[in-house]
Amino acid sequence: MSINWFPGHMAKARREVEENLKKVDVVIEILDARIPDSSHNPMMDEITKHKPRVVVLNKVDMADPKATDRWLSKFRSKGKYPVALDGRHNQIIKKIEPLAVKATADDFNRMEEKGIRRRAIRAMIIGIPNVGKSTVINNIAKKKGAKTGNTPGVTKQQQWIKAGQQMELLDTPGILWPKFEDEATGKKLALTGAIKDTVVPLDEVAIFGMQYLLEWDPERFNAFYNISVSQDDDIVTVFDAIGKSRGMKASGNEINYEAVTNRVIHDIRNGKIGRYTFDKVDTQ
Ligand code: G4P
């Protein structure tokens, strides 16, 4: 589901998150491991204030493993508690819970010193749409297929889910808006499916993806489509090569550029060509 993030929606989303934050000890921020910076809500720090934060780099199965290691180090160096995982796999709570325990240790120790009896750690999940919030929540709750929805402001009865041995998780995630900072960020969000297809022109998204692969992994790109192109080729040549190779013709034997566009986006978005991380650590 796509949402147009008008200022009213943003204000509502922010209010909802702030309301729920009062109930929790720790925030579990879900990011897309392929775009850990672009999938981070720009006001996350301001909104969550000083709450301890576990950072989940989700969809790690589609990200470049070396880049993921670099991102994990970077988050650790900033005092966050990061973990990379595939939210569809069982047992993810075993990776998340120990980090939540570490992240909240100081707060709970202080409470104990004041004589407050230890209770379960309360957590909530926050992230922009389509990063895998529902997948992670349903997985922890052992529910199948319940989509938590991407629209802020749809109130429903909230419940606490037992999450591991020492934790309780709010079953409704906080949904924040994606970055609207610059064109490249928009294209990365579209390429990974974090924003759906109407926001950024699809041909531009496909071109961005092709150029990325031609720069970083030309051999695999060529092998995947059974073509022979390079970074120096005109982008139309690349479209033509893929169209010819895949038999994507429109009437009059012309290349069907729309079909090529959709195919390339689909292949990159779903990790068919390879595992890529589009946000580089060093440029942050
Ligand atoms: P959200 O609540 O944050 O909006 O995201 P959601 O859980 O709905 O996940 C979005 C899509 O990402 C889903 O695909 C889901 O299966 C997929 N997904 C979630 N976690 C992972 C992961 O770790 N690895 C991979 N490869 N995929 C993951 P979908 O049902 O096909 O939805 P869509 O493609 O129609 O959005």
Side-chain angles (χ1 to χ4, degrees):
M1 177 177 202
S2 58
I3 337 164
N4 292 317
W5 288 97
F6 295 116
H9 294 128
M10 293 179 172
K12 197 175 217 170
R14 181 180 178 142
R15 264 199 313 278
E16 269 185 21
V17 168
E18 283 172 338
E19 210 40 54
N20 284 327
L21 274 173
K22 293 179 194 155
K23 305 174 194 161
V24 303
D25 307 300
V26 58
V27 167
I28 301 170
E29 181 185 20
I30 312 260
L31 300 174
D32 186 319
R34 297 168 294 175
I35 47 167
D37 180 51
S38 302
S39 60
H40 170 73
N41 168 276
M43 285 168 79
M44 182 78 184
D45 296 321
E46 195 187 314
I47 292 171
T48 60
K49 307 221 168 60
H50 302 299
K51 289 274 175 196
R53 179 127 38 104
V54 172
V55 176
V56 171
L57 298 180
N58 192 38
K59 308 197 185 189
V60 71
D61 53 298
M62 295 195 285
D64 169 11
K66 285 197 186 119
T68 298
D69 285 345
R70 286 196 284 272
W71 275 108
L72 288 171
S73 303
K74 166 135 187 184
F75 282 116
R76 278 188 209 106
S77 74
K78 289 187 144 191
K80 306 283 191 311
Y81 296 84
V83 60
L85 48 84
D86 177 339
R88 299 164 308 170
H89 277 189
N90 288 331
Q91 311 292 329
I92 52 172
I93 191 60
K94 289 198 175 145
K95 294 188 172 173
I96 295 173
E97 189 183 20
L99 292 174
V101 171
K102 269 192 210 156
T104 54
D106 286 350
D107 292 344
F108 273 88
N109 288 341
R110 264 197 298 277
M111 284 199 267
E112 266 180 342
E113 278 161 22
K114 286 188 199 154
I116 301 169
R117 247 188 54 214
R118 207 172 176 89
R119 54 164 174 77
I121 300 165
R122 293 188 190 130
M124 75 177 287
I125 281 182
I126 302 185
I128 66 167
N130 299 314
V131 288
K133 299 179 301 299
S134 319
T135 306
V136 168
I137 292 175
N138 290 338
N139 195 337
I140 291 173
K142 304 276 175 264
K143 275 194 289 185
K144 284 269 173 276
K147 176 85 182 148
T148 50
N150 270 327
T151 319
V154 180
T155 5
K156 72 165 206 171
Q157 194 66 41
Q158 287 180 327
Q159 287 178 0
W160 292 101
I161 305 163
K162 185 168 161 33
Q165 300 307 310
Q166 312 179 45
M167 203 163 90
E168 288 172 357
L169 179 68
L170 214 51
D171 70 346
T172 327
I175 302 156
L176 292 175
W177 56 95
K179 279 185 185 172
F180 304 107
E181 276 174 7
D182 54 61
E183 266 184 47
T185 303
K187 288 173 191 170
K188 290 177 195 173
L189 288 163
L191 197 59
T192 53
I195 54 177
K196 294 295 170 150
D197 304 339
T198 48
V199 186
V200 185
L202 283 186
D203 51 348
E204 289 180 23
V205 176
I207 292 169
F208 181 85
M210 289 170 175
Q211 284 171 336
Y212 182 93
L213 291 186
L214 283 170
E215 181 175 355
W216 295 94
D217 203 4
E219 280 171 22
R220 196 192 280 262
F221 180 68
N222 276 309
F224 184 81
Y225 290 112
N226 198 17
I227 55 177
S228 180
V229 292
S230 85
Q231 221 181 344
D232 303 327
D233 283 317
D234 188 278
I235 202 69
V236 178
T237 308
V238 182
F239 272 89
D240 285 343
I242 296 174
K244 266 191 211 131
S245 166
R246 291 288 161 111
M248 291 169 166
K249 301 273 172 68
S251 58
N253 224 20
E254 297 257 311
I255 298 295
N256 183 343
Y257 291 108
E258 199 182 326
V260 176
T261 297
N262 291 332
R263 170 52 51 185
V264 168
I265 292 175
H266 173 272
D267 291 338
I268 298 176
R269 189 179 277 175
N270 294 296
K272 302 280 181 208
I273 306 176
R275 299 173 65 170
Y276 302 109
T277 301
F278 302 101
D279 282 338
K280 305 282 174 222
V281 172
D282 297 340
T283 61
Q284 305 309 308

